[in-house]
Structure formats: structure tokens, C-alpha cells
Amino acid sequence: MERSYGTIWKYSGPLRKWGILLLLCTGLSSSVLAQTTPTVTSSVDTTAIKIGEQIRFTVTVDADSAAAVIFPEGQTFSPLETVEAFKTDTTRRLDRMTLQKIYALTQFDSGTYLLPVQRIEIDGKGYFTDSLMVSVSSVAVDTVSKEFYDIKPLIEVERNSAAIPFYVWIILGALLLLGALLWFILRPKPLTREEEEAMMPPYDRALLELKKLENSKYLIQEEYKKYYSELTDIVRSYLEEDVHISALESTTDQLITKLEMMKDAGELKIEEETISQFKRILDTADLVKFARSKPESSRAEEDRRAIEQIVIKTKEAIPEPTEEELMEQVVYQEEIKKKKQRKKRVQIALATAAVIVLGLIATVFYYGIDNVRNTLIFRSSKDLLQGEWVSSSYGYPPVDLSAPEVLIRQEAEISPDEREYIQNKQVFSFYNPDNKLGIGTSSIILAKQEEPDYQKSIDQILKEFVDKGARNIITKQEEFSSASGVPGIKVYGSAIYQNEDGGERTRGKYAIILFGGMGFQQQVILSWEEGDPYAEEIIDRIINSIDVKTQV
């Protein structure tokens, strides 16, 4: 190289300039290419641990600052278990960035394990880390220098009554609160003075109000208009309530006419002199109220005493109620009693609702809103998760997995297009329409002794999703390892599914896991409703239990 450079430098003129330009362009293009191409490196802090210890697996990505980088998530390091995925550390430098992701991994069985290749997606393109072997050794137990003892038997102890569970306090507090509310609502409340007066009979109330008017300061302050207004209102209200005559809205002449008509009809046994005296007082009151007349104080006091006598005589003039009127009063009193009972029932219902709400708030505070919501709202997926699971082998080549229910063999029809590359297919599935949980396995024998076309199988499964009404399908893909370390492919994502009844659509998730070898392929297809935490736990448990045979 030195000789070549020397040769170029010997020449002068255009040839020398073109040589220099060629060297600069070559170096510049190499530099630009090196800066735009992402690089992925991985490392571990150790390859030998003891059972339960952790490995720090570090993935470093150097890429353009605008690149979209997706790191693996979940249990993608099987057979090693992911303990924690730490937050991504980002360093930016001009138009480049360096991302560093650290995973804490462990294993609780001794042996030598293959840390599988991990797929890092950068702008939609996959980049892979290196695989390596990890040795997990058991913990040495000194059985010679240390003495071992038998397990001690259980010892009965007295129950500590001081440690009362929190929910007991919640129940006791709710009951005490309910009792206090009921006592407060149902206790006999003392009536106010105004309420007691309002409940008095009209006759007694009229006499009491006339007595109050006598002790008022209206006459001392020469407030005759207020004095006579209250005086006439008292007697008119009494007539309206006890004599059942529309007195409050009647003029003086109209009221007197009505009293005379009742006297003539025998409905009110009152003397003509009493009516005439009453008319004279009403006329005086009208002059005071509307003509601003000012009678003597003694005359006003005499009018009050006269009205008091008129009330007494009117009470005596009212005929005894007939049996029909008495019955109407009984019905009226019964209706009032029923209204009071209905009001009391409403108050009790409101108090009970308040206690229930308070108890619900306390329960949410103690157990968490998700647990309370999923307990109150029926979740069939919760019953499936907590029920008895079934571990079984399905099809040939077999697919082993654990599921909350046994998968049922289905009639597998092979279309004419599939017969070119499929010799035999065995399908097993389970579907729960209550929570949209679907579990299915397929074991396929290929027509030729060749490696399966995974992409073709994925396209076919997604096409079946679309044919069943799925829309907005989002797809991601990553490497996968079975429980025994058999490598496979996992395709997962979300979609909007059409309900079986053709009604509203439901947002859900799916996972497609593919394995295969020379002349065969195995598939596991899972689908569930998005936002169901119990379904998420079911799917994780199923995926972690999947295992397949590598040979037919």
C-alpha cells in the first residue's frame, strides 16, 4: 500500500488530483456506511452459576437516533427464567444512540443450558444476539462436619386474640355505622314549637294565635295594619280548616254571604247577631288595611276579644260529624300513616345503601380494585385459572401442554390446495365463549420430507382469522423455545374479533407458536380477550408448559 501511494504522489497534474479524490470518496463512503448500519452485541457477566443465582445478560444496540428498537419481552430466554428486565439505558451522541438493556436470568435446576438467540427488531428488521452455554451447579451440602436433625413436630399454641384480621374490623365498623344511622333516622325526634302548634286542632290553634296577638306590640307601636291583617288571617284560616269554607281568598261580602247560606242550609247553627258582628270587624279591618284608618287601641282590643268569641261560637255551631265524615277522616289518617311508613322505608334504604357503599370502599382499599371488580363481576376465566388443570399430549407428532380443560379432537378437513404439501392433520381445540378464550393444537405430517414453510403457515392462520371476521390485526414475531429447549417461532399480537352472534366486536389478543422438523410441523394457537388479567395468567401458564418432540 505504501508503494502504491508513493506511485500516485509521483504523478502531478490531473492524475494526481483524481487519485486523491478517489481515496477520499472511498474512505467517506465506508465511514457513512459504518455509521448508518445498526450493530447488536450481547454479553453476560458469568457463564457458571449456582442454583438460584442470577446472570446479567446485557444487550447493546448502536443505531441511528431515529431508529425504532424493540427488545424481547417476557419469558423468551427459556430454559432460563427471566427474573427482571431492567429499564433501557439510552445514550445519545449527535445522530447516533446507544441502547443498553440488561436482563436478570436464573435457573433452579442444575445442568448445562443453552441461552437462546434473542431477536432485536430495529426498524422492522431482525438482528440476533449470540447464543451461549450456561452451567448451573447445585449447592454443595456439608453432611460430614455439620449435624442434621429431624424435623420438629408441630407445637400447639394459643390463638392470639389480639391479632384480629383487618376485615373483621371493617365488618364491625360497618355494623356499628349501620346501627348509628338507623338510630339517627328512626329515633323519635322532638318536635319544634312551630311543629307542635301546626299539629294542634284548628280551634285550639286559632285561640293560641289570638292570645299571641294580644301579647304583641302592634298596638303599642301603632302598627294597626299588621294587627288587623293577622287578626283576620287567624279567623279566616280557622273557618277554612274547621268549617270547610273558602275564606282566605274571599272578600268580606263573599265570606259573609257564604256563612249566611250555610246558616240557612242548617250546616252552621250560628246566630245572625254573630254574623253581623263578624261583618263589622271585617269592614273595620278593610278600612285599616286599604284606607289607612286608625281606630282607637281600645277598639282594636275589643275587636280581638270579639273575634275570639266568634271562633268559640262558630266551634259550637258546627254540627257533629256524620258517620260518613268520620270514615273519611279515618281514611285520611290511614293515608297519612302510610306516607310516613313509606318515608321511613326510603330512609332505611338510603342508610343501608350508604353502609354498603362504605363497606365496598373499605373492601377496595384492603383487597384492591381489580380483585373486587373481578369478584363482583363474573369472570369465567377466573374459575378456569383456579380450577383443576389437565396436562396431556395431543396429536402426532405430539404437542404436550397443560390447559384448564381437555382439548377435544376436531374433524380436520384438508383442502385441495393443502393436499399438495399436507399428508395428514390432527386438530384439538377448546373454546369458552364467555371470555373468548381459545386453545388449539395442530399436528401436521407433510407430503414431502422437507422443512416446513413457517411463513406460509402463518399467512394461512392469519387468513383464517380474517375469514372469521377479525380486523386490524397487529403482528409481531420472535424466537421461541419450548419447556425442554426445542426452538420454534412465536407470532403474537392483537386484533378486533367478530362475536359469534354477529354483534359488537371485541378487542383481543392471540399467539401462534410453531415447531417443526423434516416432514412435519406442530402448531399451538391461543386467543383471548384483551384486558382480562385471569386470561393473561392462563395464557402464560399454557405457553410455559408447551413441549414438543423433535422427531417423528
Side-chain angles (χ1 to χ4, degrees):
M1 291 297 293
E2 294 178 359
R3 186 175 181 181
S4 299
Y5 282 123
T7 304
I8 292 173
W9 280 104
K10 284 181 182 180
Y11 297 97
S12 61
L15 182 59
R16 178 180 177 183
K17 293 180 180 178
W18 282 108
I20 295 172
L21 183 60
L22 178 61
L23 289 175
L24 290 174
C25 291
T26 303
L28 182 60
S29 62
S30 300
S31 174
V32 172
L33 182 62
Q35 290 181 359
T36 57
T37 303
T39 59
V40 177
T41 59
S42 60
S43 63
V44 292
D45 58 348
T46 181
T47 58
I49 61 172
K50 293 181 180 180
I51 291 177
E53 290 183 342
Q54 295 182 6
I55 296 174
R56 294 295 183 99
F57 179 71
T58 304
V59 180
T60 304
V61 175
D62 183 75
D64 187 84
S65 60
V69 181
I70 300 177
F71 288 96
E73 296 179 1
Q75 299 293 339
T76 62
F77 296 90
S78 181
L80 296 179
E81 296 182 16
T82 304
V83 178
E84 183 177 3
F86 295 95
K87 188 177 180 181
T88 305
D89 184 20
T90 305
T91 303
R92 297 183 183 275
R93 185 177 63 256
L94 298 179
D95 61 342
R96 303 290 292 176
M97 67 176 177
T98 301
L99 305 178
Q100 189 177 72
K101 184 81 170 179
I102 299 177
Y103 299 88
L105 312 175
T106 189
Q107 176 56 255
F108 295 96
D109 290 327
S110 60
T112 301
Y113 299 92
L114 175 66
L115 180 61
V117 172
Q118 299 298 309
R119 184 178 186 273
I120 314 298
E121 185 174 315
I122 304 176
D123 290 334
K125 185 177 180 182
Y127 295 82
F128 298 92
T129 63
D130 296 330
S131 62
L132 52 89
M133 302 300 294
V134 177
S135 176
V136 181
S137 60
S138 58
V139 179
V141 180
D142 187 358
T143 60
V144 178
S145 61
K146 294 184 179 180
E147 185 177 359
F148 288 84
Y149 301 92
D150 292 335
I151 299 174
K152 292 184 178 181
L154 298 176
I155 300 176
E156 292 185 3
V157 297
E158 295 182 0
R159 182 182 295 275
N160 185 3
S161 58
I164 299 177
F166 180 75
Y167 67 87
V168 175
W169 292 112
I170 294 295
I171 295 174
L172 291 176
L175 292 176
L176 289 174
L177 181 61
L178 176 60
L181 287 173
L182 292 177
W183 176 84
F184 180 78
I185 294 172
L186 303 179
R187 81 187 193 284
K189 299 178 182 179
L191 299 176
T192 63
R193 191 170 183 177
E194 291 76 10
E195 290 174 339
E196 289 180 351
E197 293 178 3
M199 293 181 65
M200 293 173 65
Y203 173 74
D204 296 333
R205 188 167 66 250
L207 295 180
L208 178 64
E209 290 176 350
L210 289 172
K211 193 67 176 178
K212 286 183 180 180
L213 184 61
E214 180 185 3
N215 298 325
S216 68
K217 297 181 180 180
Y218 291 143
L219 297 181
I220 298 174
Q221 297 173 354
E222 295 186 354
E223 295 180 351
Y224 296 103
K225 183 176 182 179
K226 290 183 179 180
Y227 181 85
Y228 274 95
S229 294
E230 284 196 20
L231 181 64
T232 54
D233 286 343
I234 291 170
V235 68
R236 285 173 180 268
S237 297
Y238 167 71
L239 293 174
E240 187 147 326
E241 290 184 69
D242 226 2
V243 184
H244 307 294
I245 186 172
S246 56
L248 290 172
E249 302 298 329
S250 299
T251 64
T252 298
D253 293 337
Q254 290 174 343
L255 180 55
I256 297 300
T257 301
K258 292 176 182 178
L259 290 173
E260 290 177 345
M261 291 175 63
M262 292 183 69
K263 174 182 175 298
D264 296 340
E267 296 178 3
L268 186 65
K269 299 176 181 180
I270 192 170
E271 297 177 356
E272 185 67 33
E273 183 182 351
T274 303
I275 296 177
S276 299
Q277 187 182 21
F278 184 37
K279 183 178 185 307
R280 181 187 61 77
I281 296 173
L282 290 177
D283 289 337
T284 302
D286 289 340
L287 290 173
V288 172
K289 288 189 290 184
F290 303 112
R292 297 183 180 181
S293 174
K294 290 185 178 181
E296 296 292 332
S297 298
S298 57
R299 175 70 178 275
E301 181 61 29
E302 289 177 3
D303 288 343
R304 188 201 63 77
R305 287 194 294 268
I307 287 294
E308 186 174 340
Q309 291 300 315
I310 291 171
V311 170
I312 294 172
K313 292 178 180 180
T314 304
K315 177 65 176 176
E316 295 173 351
I318 298 174
E320 293 294 328
T322 63
E323 185 176 351
E324 183 179 351
E325 290 174 342
L326 291 174
M327 287 298 298
E328 290 179 355
Q329 292 181 4
V330 171
V331 172
Y332 176 72
Q333 293 297 329
E334 286 293 332
E335 186 65 26
I336 293 177
K337 185 177 180 181
K338 289 180 181 179
K339 287 183 178 179
K340 291 182 178 179
Q341 290 176 346
R342 284 196 294 268
K343 182 179 179 180
K344 187 175 294 185
R345 284 196 293 268
V346 171
Q347 292 173 339
I348 294 174
L350 291 175
T352 306
V355 171
I356 293 174
V357 170
L358 291 175
L360 183 61
I361 293 174
T363 306
V364 169
F365 176 77
Y366 184 71
Y367 290 103
I369 188 170
D370 290 335
N371 289 330
V372 174
R373 183 181 66 247
N374 293 326
T375 300
L376 295 178
I377 303 173
F378 175 71
R379 290 274 196 181
S380 59
S381 51
K382 180 179 180 181
D383 295 336
L384 291 175
L385 177 63
Q386 297 177 350
E388 185 176 354
W389 281 49
V390 179
S391 298
S392 185
S393 181
Y394 299 96
Y396 183 82
V399 177
D400 299 336
L401 57 79
S402 296
E405 295 286 347
V406 177
L407 308 188
I408 306 301
R409 181 187 292 272
Q410 307 295 324
E411 292 293 334
E413 297 183 1
I414 302 176
S415 65
D417 295 336
E418 293 178 330
R419 292 188 183 279
E420 297 180 3
Y421 58 92
I422 294 179
Q423 179 180 341
N424 185 29
K425 179 192 290 187
Q426 299 178 28
V427 178
F428 298 82
S429 67
F430 161 78
Y431 180 72
N432 188 334
D434 294 333
N435 52 17
K436 312 298 187 295
L437 177 64
I439 308 169
T441 68
S442 298
S443 297
I444 301 171
I445 301 296
L446 301 178
K448 299 178 182 179
Q449 288 296 314
E450 59 184 9
E451 292 290 337
D453 187 343
Y454 290 116
Q455 189 58 49
K456 187 173 184 179
S457 300
I458 294 170
D459 294 342
Q460 179 63 30
I461 295 172
L462 295 179
K463 181 179 180 300
E464 292 177 1
F465 284 1
V466 174
D467 292 341
K468 292 180 180 180
R471 297 292 183 270
N472 299 340
I473 301 177
I474 299 175
T475 301
K476 298 180 182 179
Q477 183 172 325
E478 63 183 24
E479 301 292 331
F480 182 82
S481 294
S482 70
S484 61
V486 178
I489 296 176
K490 178 182 177 182
V491 178
Y492 63 99
S494 62
I496 298 177
Y497 297 106
Q498 179 72 50
N499 291 345
E500 291 184 341
D501 57 3
E504 63 181 23
R505 296 178 178 269
T506 304
R507 176 165 287 279
K509 294 184 177 181
Y510 69 90
I512 305 168
I513 301 173
L514 305 173
F515 302 94
M518 191 63 67
F520 70 94
Q521 187 183 77
Q522 296 131 311
Q523 302 175 356
V524 178
I525 304 175
L526 307 170
S527 62
W528 65 100
E529 186 176 359
E530 187 175 301
D532 187 346
Y534 298 108
E536 295 281 356
E537 292 187 45
I538 290 173
I539 295 301
D540 289 341
R541 186 170 171 182
I542 293 173
I543 290 177
N544 292 333
S545 70
I546 295 175
D547 203 359
V548 295
K549 302 296 182 182
T550 56
Q551 296 179 353
V552 179

